[in-house]
Amino acid sequence: MRARWLIVVVVLLTAAALSGCLPKDTIKIENELSKLTDRFIEHLEAEELPELEVLFADHILLYPGRYRLENLVWNMEYLAEFLIEDWLPGLDELDPAEELWGGELLEEMLVKYEQDPNDPALEDLAAAAAERIALGHFFHGLTRADDQVVATWLDESSFSLDGITAPKVVLAGWFVFVYDLGITYEIMGRTGPFETGGRWYVVLDVVEHQPWDDWTYEFVLGFSKAGNMWLIDFFRVIYD
């Protein structure tokens, strides 16, 4: 994975060299993103969570990897099928009042099912409920946040195979969780800022110091500009 990112960087730098020089606006962006990355590293290693969260855009695209996203899709499809084929006909029990993340959608399904068991809207509601419940479990596993807190995050989140768009407090909550476990991070290397697919990135070589072992990862940060300020709006962990 690391090699692929470096190939992209080399190609971009080579193209710039062949053109004679880097445009001034590109140099300015690289300088700004390098400074932003410096601040991210400083606050990450110092476990300064409020200062770290300030660097995030209001909503961040979390990319846990293609395999994990496809596994979430499978879970959503399985749950939606269960709701239509087993739960609505009464073959299995599920109390909507006990399902905080998807309860309102389940209640709506019951009402529509009583009116017309063949209503095509039931499948859309089942898919929406399944997505919300699956994302709720994902957020809870990531942060161990209370169910009610997770429910507020879900109201601002969406899912696709391109990643999970979530409020920045989800990513901040993940850092809270890992720091509480006694996990710290040390940045051992980094790429310079580079652009690909219309988005700017930086890749960091990370050592995760756990109380029981050390692990090496890569963090991929993506950036967008809000007004005159660049912020982190994409986050990915690449596992070795």
Side-chain angles (χ1 to χ4, degrees), residues 5 29-41 52 55-57 59-61 190-204 219-226 229-236:
W5 285 103
I29 291 172
E30 290 175 346
N31 288 337
E32 291 176 352
L33 295 183
S34 291
K35 292 177 182 178
L36 177 56
T37 303
D38 289 341
R39 293 169 61 197
F40 176 87
I41 293 171
L52 197 63
L55 307 180
F56 302 152
H59 290 83
I60 292 184
L61 183 64
R190 58 194 276 187
T191 68
F194 61 94
E195 185 181 16
T196 181
R199 180 188 287 275
W200 284 89
Y201 296 95
V202 165
V203 183
L204 306 177
F219 285 173
V220 183
L221 308 180
F223 308 93
S224 65
K225 197 168 187 179
M229 180 183 298
W230 284 93
L231 296 169
I232 298 165
D233 73 338
F234 175 93
F235 185 79
R236 178 182 182 183

Side-chain angles (χ1 to χ4, degrees), residues 4-24:
R4 274 184 266 170
W5 285 103
L6 289 178
I7 288 171
V8 172
V9 176
V10 170
V11 169
L12 290 172
L13 292 178
T14 302
L18 291 174
S19 68
C21 63
L22 292 172
K24 289 184 178 179

Side-chain angles (χ1 to χ4, degrees), residues 122-137:
L122 289 169
E123 291 191 2
D124 292 335
L125 287 169
E131 177 177 314
R132 190 174 172 90
I133 293 169
L135 283 183
H137 283 287

